[in-house]
Amino acid sequence: MGHSHHHHHSNQSEGNIKVAFFLNLGFAVIEIIGGLLTNSVAILSDALHDFGDSLSLGIAWYFQRISGRKENQEFTYGYTRFSVLGAVINSIILFGGSIFIMIEAIPRLLEPKTPETIGMIYLSIGGIIVNGVAAFRLSRGSSLNEKVVYLHLLEDILGWVAVLIGAIVMHFYDVPILDPLLSIGIALFILFNIYKNLKESFRIILQATPSNLSIDAIHQTLENIPDVKSFHDCHTWTMDGEFNILSVHLVVDSKRSMNDLETIKKTTKERLKTIGIDHATIEFETIEEDCDPC
């Protein structure tokens, strides 16, 4: 199926997620120590959340690694879609983490507590740097798995920015309610993004038309192929949100030779490639032939 480029991208995605995993896990340990030293519930809850993130990053790394395996008799399309499974599991974990943040934050609206702010400021700066480095690597990724992991890290960065702002303000003013307000706002933002990622994941699993393809453009391309009288049974889907597949029946004149058909097939695949189709399966029929619908 010509997976060489796709396999290389899978290895790159795996490397990005691997770096994010170790950075996140290492800093989560530092957070627990820092949270205990500063007596900050916000940092301790963030540490627990980051451990959950580390778990989901580990899952993402595992599934991204599996997705690079070649096809076999059990999985004839290969393991590419395992990265989508990783994205779904991560979204569910991220949903749980966001709910946890809200459960922790809402009671603190009623009974706000001011922690040791200087320690919070130093920890939040460290959190922004560590998660920022990992997020920067993943921001260049295009797989759905990378996008969901990037969302994890974005949540962490926003969380640390909220902690930093809250800590600075609370250091100078007695307004501890800022911390839970910011936490709730971030959680709502992340829940909205989870919805978008899950929606895209289920579109892939249910084999909907890829969101980055235009059916009209595909039909127009097929209509303009020389010597093709018509076409039907045109289906498109995607393996993982990147590798797009199409199958179609092309109707040609019965007088066409095998060489003619080879030329038509080559032209069709080349033109479809330019509009985002990575793999096309083409079946020829003659005008006189009755199609056996799939």
Side-chain angles (χ1 to χ4, degrees), residues 8-292:
H8 168 73
H9 178 78
S10 178
N11 289 337
Q12 184 181 4
S13 299
E14 181 190 335
N16 289 339
I17 295 172
K18 179 181 177 181
V19 169
F21 169 73
F22 283 112
L23 284 172
N24 205 274
L25 181 62
F27 196 72
V29 175
I30 296 172
E31 281 181 83
I32 288 182
I33 298 171
L36 292 171
L37 291 175
T38 59
N39 193 32
S40 169
V41 180
I43 290 178
L44 283 173
S45 63
D46 213 349
L48 181 61
H49 176 68
D50 273 0
F51 267 116
D53 277 357
S54 297
L55 173 64
S56 62
L57 284 166
I59 292 170
W61 178 16
Y62 172 73
F63 280 117
Q64 194 68 46
R65 190 170 187 175
I66 289 179
S67 72
R69 294 179 185 174
K70 294 182 179 180
E71 61 269 18
N72 54 34
Q73 291 185 354
E74 185 176 5
F75 294 98
T76 57
Y77 268 115
Y79 290 75
T80 307
R81 194 164 282 181
F82 274 72
S83 67
V84 180
L85 178 59
V88 171
I89 293 173
N90 275 331
S91 293
I92 293 170
I93 293 174
L94 188 55
F95 174 81
S98 298
I99 296 299
F100 173 79
I101 289 174
M102 295 189 72
I103 290 172
E104 286 293 309
I106 291 172
R108 289 171 60 195
L109 291 172
L110 303 175
E111 297 181 12
K113 297 177 182 178
T114 304
E116 202 282 298
T117 54
I118 295 295
M120 286 181 67
I121 290 171
Y122 285 126
L123 276 171
S124 58
I125 291 172
I128 291 168
I129 293 172
V130 170
N131 287 289
V133 170
F136 177 74
R137 286 192 59 134
L138 286 162
S139 66
R140 295 172 290 179
S142 55
S143 75
L144 189 60
N145 206 8
E146 284 176 289
K147 289 176 181 177
V148 174
V149 172
Y150 172 70
L151 184 60
H152 272 274
L153 296 171
L154 178 62
E155 177 185 13
D156 290 338
I157 292 169
L158 291 173
W160 281 118
V161 169
V163 171
L164 177 60
I165 294 171
I168 291 172
V169 173
M170 285 185 291
H171 184 70
F172 294 102
Y173 303 98
D174 186 23
V175 281
I177 199 170
L178 272 181
D179 185 32
L181 284 175
L182 288 167
S183 298
I184 292 170
I186 292 167
L188 291 174
F189 169 75
I190 296 301
L191 287 171
F192 172 70
N193 282 281
I194 290 170
Y195 163 75
K196 290 198 299 182
N197 278 293
L198 279 176
K199 181 180 178 182
E200 180 62 22
S201 296
F202 284 119
R203 277 182 58 85
I204 293 170
I205 293 170
L206 296 172
Q207 294 190 313
T209 300
S211 55
N212 60 342
L213 291 183
S214 166
I215 290 296
D216 290 338
I218 292 171
H219 288 182
Q220 187 174 4
T221 298
L222 293 173
E223 288 167 358
N224 291 328
I225 302 294
D227 300 318
V228 172
K229 303 298 182 183
S230 63
F231 66 90
H232 54 87
D233 282 351
C234 180
H235 307 289
T236 61
W237 65 98
T238 181
M239 288 299 298
D240 59 354
E242 297 179 274
F243 194 83
N244 299 324
I245 301 169
L246 175 141
S247 65
V248 66
H249 292 203
L250 300 181
V251 179
V252 297
D253 194 290
S254 58
K255 297 178 182 179
R256 294 294 167 191
S257 66
M258 287 299 294
N259 286 336
D260 292 336
L261 296 180
E262 182 62 32
T263 300
I264 294 171
K265 183 188 292 185
K266 183 179 179 182
T267 301
T268 303
K269 288 187 175 184
E270 287 174 350
R271 294 191 182 183
L272 288 172
K273 194 87 172 177
T274 64
I275 57 172
I277 299 297
D278 299 287
H279 179 75
T281 301
I282 299 169
E283 181 175 333
F284 289 107
E285 297 172 6
T286 62
I287 298 174
E288 297 83 7
E289 185 180 348
D290 289 328
C291 172
D292 181 18

